[in-house]
Amino acid sequence: QVQLVESGGGVVQAGGSLRLACAASGLSVTKYIMRWFRQAPGKERELVAIINENGALKSYADSVEDRFDISRDNAKNMVYLEMDSLEPQDTAVYYCSAVDTWTTSVSAGAYWGQGTQVTVSS
C-alpha cells in the first residue's frame, strides 16, 4: 500500500520559516518525480515545486521562486520543502505528490498525501 505522509506544518509569523517533510512508504521515491502542491480555502490546488528523480532538476511556481527549496533524500525515501520568508498568502494545505512523468497537472495519475496545514499570520 502506497502512502505519502506530510509533516512539518504549523502556524508561523510572516517572515518566518518552515520545513515540510514527506515520508513515502510502499514505493521507492527513486523512481518518481516528486511534487509539492498547495490549496488555499476557496482556491484550486496549485503546484508549488517539482523535482526530478535524482534531484538535478527543480522548478517552482513564480510566487515562491527564491523563497522555497524542494529537495529529496532517496536513501531515506523522503522529500522536503524548505519555506523561507513566508507570507500570509502562503497559507494553505500543502500536499506531497508522486508521479512517473514530468507534469505539473493536478489531474495526472499520481499518489497524494493527506496534506499538512501551513498558516502564516501577519
Side-chain angles (χ1 to χ4, degrees):
Q1 182 182 359
V2 174
Q3 276 193 314
L4 299 175
V5 180
E6 301 93 338
S7 62
V11 180
V12 63
Q13 287 190 330
S17 299
L18 283 174
R19 188 191 194 208
L20 305 184
C22 172
S25 60
L27 63 79
S28 172
V29 297
T30 305
K31 300 179 181 179
Y32 289 87
I33 291 160
M34 301 301 295
R35 314 177 302 173
W36 285 97
F37 280 76
R38 68 185 180 187
Q39 188 166 19
K43 295 188 177 181
E44 294 185 351
R45 192 171 296 191
E46 63 173 357
L47 179 74
V48 175
I50 183 171
I51 186 169
N52 75 333
E53 292 91 331
N54 64 10
L57 182 61
K58 304 178 184 181
S59 184
Y60 299 90
D62 289 343
S63 59
V64 307
E65 186 83 55
D66 298 327
R67 298 189 298 122
F68 289 12
D69 180 55
I70 187 172
S71 61
R72 61 193 300 155
D73 186 334
N74 287 344
K76 295 182 179 179
N77 230 25
M78 298 285 293
V79 181
Y80 304 98
L81 185 69
E82 180 72 37
M83 306 186 295
D84 298 322
S85 302
L86 283 162
E87 303 167 353
Q89 49 266 44
D90 295 318
T91 295
V93 177
Y94 284 71
Y95 298 90
C96 177
S97 170
V99 289
D100 57 10
T101 57
W102 185 271
T103 175
T104 61
S105 172
V106 174
S107 60
Y111 297 107
W112 292 92
Q114 293 301 306
T116 184
Q117 175 70 47
V118 172
T119 302
V120 184
S121 61
S122 58

